Amino acid sequence: MTAARFPKQARVRARAEFDRVFQHGRRTASPMMALHRLADDGPVRLGLAVSRKVDPTAVGRNRIKRVIRDQFRRLQGELAPGAYVLVARPSARQADNSALRDGFLRLLQRAGALPVATPAGTMPADDPSPLPPDAPASTGP
């Protein structure tokens, strides 16, 4: 079970580190949450801020944190190095777990921490290279 844990070196813990991320990091926001990202040479770390304004019950605040930590743990190997601080907003209270995961994933993509996933389709991609100028244009059968 130790592989599923969230180790101390993967957390933003000290107030000074939170302040540094808030002051020097870049913010990307959605109606449900805001992500502050500070790119540095350290390991990938996550800090969470879920206040009583978001959900007055501890059970609700802990659910939001648990879901975000789990999604972060799954994506940790793909993320760019640095510190990430997620600040939940009151609309996160009504969101179900999958909406929280998807919202967090979209924020990471918008922040540039993850590559944007291209939808898998059945059609081949368009060839971006145009025809050379001396190639004859086909007029049909």
Side-chain angles (χ1 to χ4, degrees):
M1 176 146 184
T2 57
R5 290 187 174 248
F6 198 63
K8 288 183 181 180
Q9 64 268 18
R11 300 182 206 168
V12 175
R13 295 172 37 108
R15 181 180 177 102
E17 192 171 7
F18 272 94
D19 290 342
R20 192 169 59 95
V21 173
F22 287 136
Q23 289 175 1
H24 302 292
R26 300 196 72 191
R27 183 176 68 94
T28 306
S30 73
M32 201 173 1
M33 56 188 83
L35 178 70
H36 298 261
R37 176 180 175 225
L38 179 64
D40 60 17
D41 295 334
V44 177
R45 307 173 302 290
L46 175 69
L48 295 168
V50 184
S51 72
R52 286 190 194 131
K53 290 181 182 179
V54 173
D55 194 334
T57 66
V59 172
R61 293 190 304 273
N62 289 336
R63 177 188 68 90
I64 293 168
K65 291 188 281 189
R66 184 178 59 248
V67 169
I68 297 299
R69 267 195 309 264
D70 181 57
Q71 183 70 1
F72 182 80
R73 190 179 304 118
R74 293 172 191 228
L75 298 170
Q76 197 169 3
E78 303 171 37
L79 291 171
Y84 299 84
V85 174
L86 184 105
V87 180
R89 293 182 170 172
S91 61
R93 178 183 183 185
Q94 288 86 23
D96 63 349
N97 293 351
S98 64
L100 287 170
R101 282 188 206 98
D102 292 342
F104 182 54
L105 180 64
R106 281 193 305 274
L107 274 180
L108 288 170
Q109 290 170 340
R110 284 183 43 212
L114 278 177
V116 178
T118 57
T122 57
M123 299 294 294
D126 289 336
D127 186 14
S129 61
L131 291 175
D134 59 340
S138 69
T139 58

